[in-house]
Amino acid sequence: MKLSLDDLRIFGGPLAFDETQHVGRPNIGNRDRLLARLDDLLDRRWLTNNGPYVQEFEQRIADLVGVKHCIATSNATVALEIAARAAELSGEVIIPSFTFVATAHALQWIGITPVFCDVESEGPNIDPDAVEKAITPATSGILGVHVWGKPCGADRLGEIARRYGLRLLFDAAHAFGCSYRGRMIGSLGDAEVFSFHATKCVNAFEGGAIVTNDDGIAARAKLMRNFGFATYDVVTSLGINGKMTEICAAMGLTSLESMAQFTRINYDNYRQYRRELADLPGITVMAYDEGEQNNYHYVVIEIDELTTGLGRDAFHQILWEENVRARRYFYPGCHQLEPYRSLPRYADLSLPNTERLTARVLCLPSGSAVTPGIISEICQIIRLVATHGREIRERLSSGEFRTSRQLAANLTAVSGPSHA
Ligand code: T4K
């Protein structure tokens, strides 16, 4: 336990964790079930191309979400590209800048201009009023993102989309198993996309899925996922290779069987972080609406530098020094990343809510690889730093540190002037 500043690694104390603590360490599930499925698929000699495990995975997801169609893919980025084409998007599509860069890249990759929009002042999701203001004659759709599994204002967005004749899609990469006003995410808008990447609550090693009630989108997406082949030797549309393999579907099915357990663990972790960081000035653990279904996969703190005396980047670096790989999901906003920041259309773009959020949030380790003891230790470090922010800054500024000189320089530089 870190009880005083001298216990911190940056002042020469011992490393808090020998083993690196990650955000999104994969949940494994039942190994025996997975290995039995691997034996089956090897015996069957059917390894990919719409095999039985993929079809079973798709059915399970469609049932869970309550939609007509699920098209499993190799990952969510390809799923976004396919969904955008299947929904016949073109020209400009409005998206939040506060998202993983894949949301923007998927559009840009297929020649659609992502129009970055601000999030609501309380964050973390796209602001419907800002969406409406961003609509131009070139706009063909809106692609909302349910950041950290927290649902977008889908009803308002749906009303705007209807009024302007736009398609409404959602990047639900974080939101498998979450609900919005009692409806499962996945059933909103024209289509939604899930990620089953290794770091997600339910994982298929790598994987994604398009879910929709729209027969046309589903039919086109199915073709596009497999090079546009309607049957042997018959190509009826443009396509790509976006297929999920059988081994990924085997993992996905196994992971789905443990979903309730993963969610329970995430919930307990989230509650523990909230309990142990409660009443800590300047630190807020972002709350989930417990009236909805949540996967509680991301535990996110917001840091108020004016109160703590140290900014988010200082917390980030101090935690990394202790072998805690807290993550800045998301930093910076997409509009400040290449290739967008160098393009003239984004050069003067200012998104104040996004920029404020990207400077203040930090995701903490959770999931089945994290124990209550690990969470307590992480909270103890955060509490120590948050309650001694100004002292830490002064000690580092005066050169009193026993670890990396460069780190000290960064710690004082990234946080800006003291607000004492
Ligand atoms: N839309 C949104 C809103 C998204 O957040 C994402 C992906 C996508 C679309 C695209 O989905 P996919 O095409 O990936 O299906 C990670 C994930 O790779 C990425 O899937 C995820 N979002 C994003 C939020 O996080 P990175 O580059 O920040 O971290 P990564 O994958 O290197 O690893 C995360 C941590 O987990 C590391 O600290 C190490 C640990 N780890 C990772 C892997 C892969 C393990 O312990 N074991 C592992 O097998 O993107």
Side-chain angles (χ1 to χ4, degrees):
M1 276 286 174
K2 309 261 176 190
L3 299 174
S4 79
L5 291 188
D6 288 333
D7 294 331
L8 289 175
R9 185 78 183 137
I10 52 165
F11 294 124
L15 195 60
F17 298 100
D18 292 332
E19 193 185 339
T20 306
Q21 301 303 318
H22 288 287
V23 172
R25 206 89 216 273
N27 293 324
I28 301 301
N30 186 320
R31 261 168 218 256
D32 293 338
R33 296 279 296 151
L34 175 64
L35 295 176
R37 285 191 166 105
L38 297 193
D39 268 340
D40 278 351
L41 75 88
L42 294 175
D43 289 346
R44 252 195 313 262
R45 289 179 190 264
W46 197 275
L47 306 186
T48 184
N49 289 30
N50 205 26
Y53 282 153
V54 165
Q55 291 180 37
E56 187 184 342
F57 185 61
E58 290 177 334
Q59 193 57 55
R60 293 276 320 269
I61 289 168
D63 291 347
L64 204 139
V65 172
V67 288
K68 278 164 77 177
H69 308 284
C70 172
I71 299 102
T73 58
S74 47
N75 58 63
T77 308
V78 165
L80 285 167
E81 290 166 17
I82 294 174
R85 281 192 190 272
E88 297 171 321
L89 299 183
S90 63
E92 297 176 357
V93 170
I94 300 168
I95 68 168
S97 173
F98 189 72
T99 180
F100 192 60
V101 74
T103 317
H105 280 354
L107 297 174
Q108 182 84 3
W109 195 260
I110 61 169
I112 291 174
T113 301
V115 174
F116 296 116
C117 188
D118 213 350
V119 291
E120 292 174 304
S121 54
E122 66 279 18
N125 288 325
I126 196 163
D127 176 359
D129 291 330
V131 167
E132 191 161 3
K133 287 191 194 117
I135 294 171
T136 73
T139 309
S140 62
I142 303 163
L143 174 57
V145 181
H146 307 296
V147 173
W148 310 320
K150 291 157 89 71
C152 289
D155 286 345
R156 277 275 334 268
L157 292 171
E159 182 270 314
I160 293 167
R162 269 191 303 281
R163 197 147 36 85
Y164 289 87
L166 305 175
R167 287 290 206 180
L168 177 60
L169 273 61
F170 291 102
D171 176 338
H174 301 182
F176 186 64
C178 304
S179 69
Y180 166 73
R181 296 187 172 170
R183 282 178 284 156
M184 289 311 284
I185 288 182
S187 61
L188 312 173
D190 294 302
E192 301 205 53
V193 164
F194 293 124
S195 171
F196 298 106
H197 181 258
T199 55
K200 297 296 184 289
C201 181
V202 169
N203 88 80
F205 298 136
E206 285 266 7
I210 302 164
V211 280
T212 180
N213 284 313
D214 184 307
D215 297 339
I217 290 179
R220 286 189 291 276
K222 255 193 164 141
L223 283 172
M224 288 174 181
R225 174 183 64 173
N226 186 28
F227 314 103
F229 275 113
T231 180
Y232 285 111
D233 306 330
V234 180
V235 172
T236 59
S237 82
L238 180 65
I240 194 170
N241 184 351
K243 290 166 282 151
M244 177 179 271
T245 64
E246 284 291 275
I247 198 166
C248 287
M251 182 61 170
L253 284 165
T254 309
S255 193
L256 270 176
E257 286 164 358
S258 296
M259 184 177 163
Q261 184 203 345
F262 298 151
T263 304
R264 182 79 227 169
I265 291 169
N266 284 344
Y267 179 67
D268 290 346
N269 291 347
Y270 160 74
R271 297 295 304 177
Q272 187 184 346
Y273 274 115
R274 274 182 75 81
R275 230 177 16 255
E276 297 201 14
L277 296 175
D279 308 321
L280 180 57
I283 303 289
T284 310
V285 180
M286 295 236 177
Y288 288 96
D289 177 353
E290 297 199 20
E292 298 285 357
Q293 289 192 51
N294 298 295
N295 59 32
Y296 298 101
H297 190 59
Y298 291 97
V299 176
V300 186
I301 56 170
E302 185 171 3
I303 296 159
D304 176 15
E305 181 177 356
L306 285 175
T307 308
T308 61
L310 277 178
R312 186 278 314 274
D313 289 343
F315 279 82
H316 179 240
Q317 290 203 30
I318 290 169
L319 285 167
W320 274 55
E321 282 291 305
E322 302 287 356
N323 225 351
V324 179
R325 294 257 168 101
R327 297 299 303 271
R328 293 176 293 184
Y329 289 141
F330 296 103
Y331 167 83
C334 292
H335 69 294
Q336 293 173 325
L337 289 170
E338 296 294 359
Y340 312 103
R341 59 182 290 180
S342 295
L343 295 174
R345 85 164 283 144
Y346 308 106
D348 298 321
L349 185 60
S350 159
L351 301 173
N353 294 338
T354 300
E355 282 151 30
R356 184 177 161 278
L357 208 55
T358 55
R360 289 165 64 98
V361 293
L362 200 55
C363 283
L364 301 175
S366 186
S368 58
V370 173
T371 63
I374 291 171
I375 293 175
S376 281
E377 180 87 31
I378 293 171
C379 289
Q380 179 71 22
I381 297 168
I382 294 171
R383 186 169 282 278
L384 190 61
V385 175
T387 48
H388 295 83
R390 289 181 181 82
E391 198 183 330
I392 291 173
R393 178 190 292 279
E394 275 158 27
R395 285 178 63 166
L396 290 171
S397 307
S398 67
E400 188 200 330
F401 49 83
R402 289 172 214 131
T403 56
S404 145
R405 196 167 284 270
Q406 184 56 44
L407 167 72
N410 289 347
L411 280 174
T412 44
V414 289
S415 302
S418 169
H419 298 283

